[in-house]
Amino acid sequence: MGADALLLRFGRSTSATQMNASSTASQRAMFVFICFVWGTTWLAMKVGISTVSPGIFAGLRWSLAGAMILAYRKARGQRVMPPPRLIPRLVLVSVVLITLNQIIQLYGLKYITAGLAAVISSALTPIALLVFSVVAGQERFSPRQSGAIGLGIVGVAMLFGPSALAGTLDAWQVIGAAGVTIGVLCYTAGSVMTRPMMRTLEPVQLAGLTDLIGGLVLLVSALAVEPGAWESMRLHWGWPAFLGWLYLLVPGALMSTTMYFLLVRDWGASRPGTYAFISPAIAVVIGCALFDEKLDWGEAVGMTLMLGAAGLALRPTRKRVVAATVPATAPVLSQG
């Protein structure tokens, strides 16, 4: 019996070890998938808005993403509709988080490289989330976080300073970077505004509602005022734009966000958030290699400093862990 018990215990131990190794491998595979997909979504957006009006390109995607999330909840018998008292705030949050973020950001992307847009978004998001959280009374500044903001400012100066001093600064590039920055600020402000609503609404429910409402407002507004919107609604986009849109919807939003939440559940918030330092590098490398995007030394140094600032802002402390950022193209709290 002693030998049998030993063999049984050894068998169980071996099985548990194999399961843990398999789980770890699958988690790492998910993390690699997220880094690659969220590092290439800016390129997909760049391809799409080159032939499709930005309002239609984003409005259709977010509307469909929200409808799919809510339909899935409905099929599972979960709550979909919010309490009536929350509807005005929900509409406001949706417009800030999705509608304004997307339209301003995509028009800005027209004038800068996808790599630069990815770096601005990944670096500025955790810092802006911190600032808005402090303003809302949800967070407190620490000396390290103040240093992160200062380092981020230096990084921005390095991005545009050399060109400005040389008199070769492209005004449209500055406008494009400003558009992406304003989009990030809309996203982060909207993210902070959603926090009190999560006392009543489940996160996935809130995601579906904000995606659907924000997407529909964007779609209707684009049809009302955006040049070329009605032509884009005919869906004669060409296969590159359509594949880019599909890429943003399925792997870029639905699949990656699900994987991200699984990693947050298993790893905690801060470790999956390190995608913010890997995805921009992927965007820059692919943009330079396949799309002939240019990168000079000033931009390289500036991008490095901005990502370093994001690292300081995301670094956990003993008393508080800054929530990991959710990327450009996730349907929950996303910019892409």
Side-chain angles (χ1 to χ4, degrees):
M1 288 295 294
D4 291 341
L6 183 62
L7 287 172
L8 179 60
R9 180 178 298 179
F10 177 76
R12 288 177 177 175
S13 176
T14 302
S15 176
T17 301
Q18 291 174 341
M19 289 178 63
N20 289 336
S22 176
S23 176
T24 301
S26 65
Q27 290 168 352
R28 289 175 178 172
M30 286 191 292
F31 182 73
V32 171
F33 181 86
I34 289 170
C35 289
F36 178 81
V37 171
W38 283 345
T40 51
T41 49
W42 288 95
L43 296 166
M45 286 189 285
K46 189 85 172 177
V47 171
I49 63 176
S50 65
T51 58
V52 183
S53 63
I56 300 301
F57 190 74
L60 286 174
R61 178 165 64 98
W62 289 111
S63 300
L64 183 57
M68 292 173 67
I69 292 172
L70 296 178
Y72 178 76
R73 287 183 58 84
K74 184 71 173 178
R76 291 175 60 89
Q78 298 172 331
R79 188 174 60 177
V80 171
M81 294 300 296
R85 62 182 176 82
L86 285 183
I87 291 177
R89 183 179 180 88
L90 181 62
V91 172
L92 174 62
V93 169
S94 301
V95 170
V96 174
L97 186 66
I98 302 296
T99 309
L100 294 178
N101 161 34
Q102 285 293 287
I103 195 64
I104 298 172
Q105 183 173 260
L106 288 178
Y107 270 98
L109 181 60
K110 283 179 170 286
Y111 304 107
I112 61 174
T113 65
L116 177 56
V119 171
I120 292 174
S121 175
S122 294
L124 183 58
T125 294
I127 297 173
L129 280 171
L130 172 63
V131 172
F132 283 122
S133 296
V134 169
V135 172
Q138 300 174 5
E139 301 275 355
R140 290 183 179 180
F141 271 126
S142 71
R144 188 192 71 244
Q145 291 159 348
S146 299
I149 294 174
L151 186 60
I153 293 172
V154 173
V156 173
M158 286 302 301
L159 277 176
F160 301 106
S163 298
L165 292 175
T168 60
L169 184 63
D170 186 349
W172 283 109
Q173 185 182 26
V174 176
I175 292 172
V180 173
T181 300
I182 294 171
V184 171
L185 295 178
C186 289
Y187 158 71
T188 50
S191 299
V192 173
M193 292 167 65
T194 63
R195 187 171 182 179
M197 301 175 68
M198 291 187 185
R199 301 189 188 107
T200 304
L201 302 177
E202 297 178 21
V204 177
Q205 177 190 15
L206 180 58
L209 289 169
T210 53
D211 288 353
L212 180 60
I213 296 171
L216 288 176
V217 171
L218 178 55
L219 197 59
V220 172
S221 301
L223 291 172
V225 300
E226 188 176 30
W230 284 99
E231 178 63 27
S232 295
M233 282 296 291
R234 297 176 62 186
L235 304 182
H236 297 162
W237 296 356
W239 68 266
F242 180 75
L243 289 179
W245 182 87
L246 200 61
Y247 181 76
L248 290 166
L249 175 66
V250 181
L254 301 176
M255 291 176 62
S256 294
T257 302
T258 301
M259 292 180 185
Y260 182 81
F261 284 154
L262 290 173
L263 291 179
V264 169
R265 182 197 66 186
D266 297 335
W267 286 359
S270 60
R271 188 178 173 190
T274 55
Y275 83 86
F277 315 113
I278 301 172
S279 295
I282 294 173
V284 170
V285 170
I286 294 179
C288 291
L290 301 181
F291 293 87
D292 198 30
E293 295 185 346
K294 306 300 181 183
L295 180 69
D296 59 33
W297 68 269
E299 291 175 334
V301 173
M303 290 178 181
T304 302
L305 290 175
M306 291 179 69
L307 293 177
L312 287 176
L314 282 172
R315 184 180 176 185
T317 61
R318 292 182 180 179
K319 294 183 179 181
R320 177 183 58 80
V321 177
V322 177
T325 57
V326 180
T329 52
V332 176
L333 292 178
S334 172
Q335 303 171 66

